Amino acid sequence: MKLTIEQTIANMLTENTGSHMLDSGGSNGRNWQRNKDKTVEYFKSLPSATADIYYSETHDSYDISPCVNIFHLLTGGVLELDGLCHEFNAIEVGQWSDVYNGVCWGGVGFLNKHDFNNMDDGFNTYNWASNHSQVMQGNMLERDGEQYILLQIHGGADVRGGYTDAKLFKLDYHADFWNVVTDDCGFSCPKGEHSISWHGEFINSEGGCAVDDDIKALALACGCNADNPSITIEGYAYLDY
């Protein structure tokens, strides 16, 4: 049976990526354990972005930490599944090769047979401190002038291990790599009077770089203060490209 993008990503988010006594995950603290038994409908119900807002009484200052949900990011239209993707993703994965992370030798043979070319040395979103709900890693591939991506999702605790088997996706014709890993997002207060967006830095509602007063105004309007110093608000990921 050919799986949809949504089901493929949901399966990756719930894939058992194992555990180790030294991986800091405890008995039930790994991503795959927290996602266990979650369904496509559950993941769809989550906001595409959230932000944790904190007030520091010591410094009398506010801080915002944005987070883009990778289910929405990866199912928002940037990725597709063509016939080759379905064939590759249906391969029973054995021992991983040393050619691509998360790909067994049977998978390597499939990619070689169908003339996929590796375009980079691989990536891991942890390395640039991205604001995603879970870490992703993989390789960009090219075939007949079209872009594909081998993608793994971190399901463990310690970022050095605990990744899913790699799945193959085709990029939409209008998309590029950065559309797959963007963490651009925006947030506003309930009345819409104050808003901030994240594009590698915080931008205020006038389109300029947000300053402390902009962040403070949003925080206060959302209910974060000395009596309520830590809150989480819902926002929206910018998934258009």
Side-chain angles (χ1 to χ4, degrees), residues 131-150:
N131 298 297
H132 296 123
S133 55
Q134 290 178 224
V135 170
M136 298 173 284
Q137 74 172 14
N139 291 81
M140 287 295 296
L141 307 178
E142 180 273 338
R143 181 182 184 274
D144 289 341
E146 296 183 306
Q147 296 185 89
Y148 290 78
I149 188 170
L150 284 171

Side-chain angles (χ1 to χ4, degrees), residues 29-200:
R30 299 163 189 85
N31 287 314
W32 70 265
Q33 292 171 317
R34 291 193 290 267
N35 291 335
K36 186 178 180 180
D37 298 326
K38 299 293 192 300
T39 64
V40 167
E41 293 306 313
Y42 168 81
F43 292 118
K44 289 171 67 174
S45 73
L46 300 175
S48 61
T50 57
D52 294 328
I53 305 180
Y54 308 96
Y55 171 71
S56 170
E57 186 173 6
T58 302
H59 300 96
D60 189 27
S61 62
Y62 293 84
D63 185 49
I64 301 179
S65 296
C67 179
V68 167
N69 182 281
I70 65 168
F71 177 84
H72 289 283
L73 174 62
L74 300 175
T75 62
V78 66
L79 299 180
E80 303 173 350
L81 291 169
D82 64 7
L84 290 172
C85 295
H86 285 297
E87 286 187 58
F88 178 88
N89 295 341
I91 294 173
E92 184 175 349
V93 180
Q95 182 176 350
W96 289 356
S97 72
D98 58 2
V99 180
Y100 299 106
N101 287 323
V103 178
C104 66
W105 287 108
V108 172
F110 178 93
L111 296 173
N112 291 339
K113 175 183 177 181
H114 293 283
D115 299 319
F116 283 90
N117 299 305
N118 189 11
M119 297 173 62
D120 57 30
D121 295 325
F123 70 91
N124 186 303
T125 58
Y126 179 83
N127 291 333
W128 61 79
S130 61
N131 298 297
H132 296 123
S133 55
Q134 290 178 224
V135 170
M136 298 173 284
Q137 74 172 14
N139 291 81
M140 287 295 296
L141 307 178
E142 180 273 338
R143 181 182 184 274
D144 289 341
E146 296 183 306
Q147 296 185 89
Y148 290 78
I149 188 170
L150 284 171
L151 185 68
Q152 294 176 277
I153 294 175
H154 181 242
D158 190 313
V159 76
R160 292 171 294 181
Y163 289 85
T164 64
D165 295 331
K167 299 299 180 185
L168 180 67
F169 300 91
K170 181 180 178 182
L171 269 65
D172 178 86
Y173 178 77
H174 300 288
D176 62 27
F177 168 73
W178 292 108
N179 298 124
V180 181
V181 296
T182 181
D183 58 4
D184 292 353
C185 52
F187 306 92
S188 60
C189 66
K191 293 184 178 180
E193 297 172 346
H194 303 280
S195 63
I196 281 180
S197 60
W198 171 260
H199 300 275

Side-chain angles (χ1 to χ4, degrees), residues 196-227:
I196 281 180
S197 60
W198 171 260
H199 300 275
E201 62 181 346
F202 286 112
I203 305 298
N204 61 29
S205 56
E206 283 74 42
C209 293
V211 297
D212 290 345
D213 285 345
D214 296 315
I215 295 174
K216 178 179 180 179
L218 176 65
L220 290 173
C222 291
C224 183
N225 50 54
D227 295 325

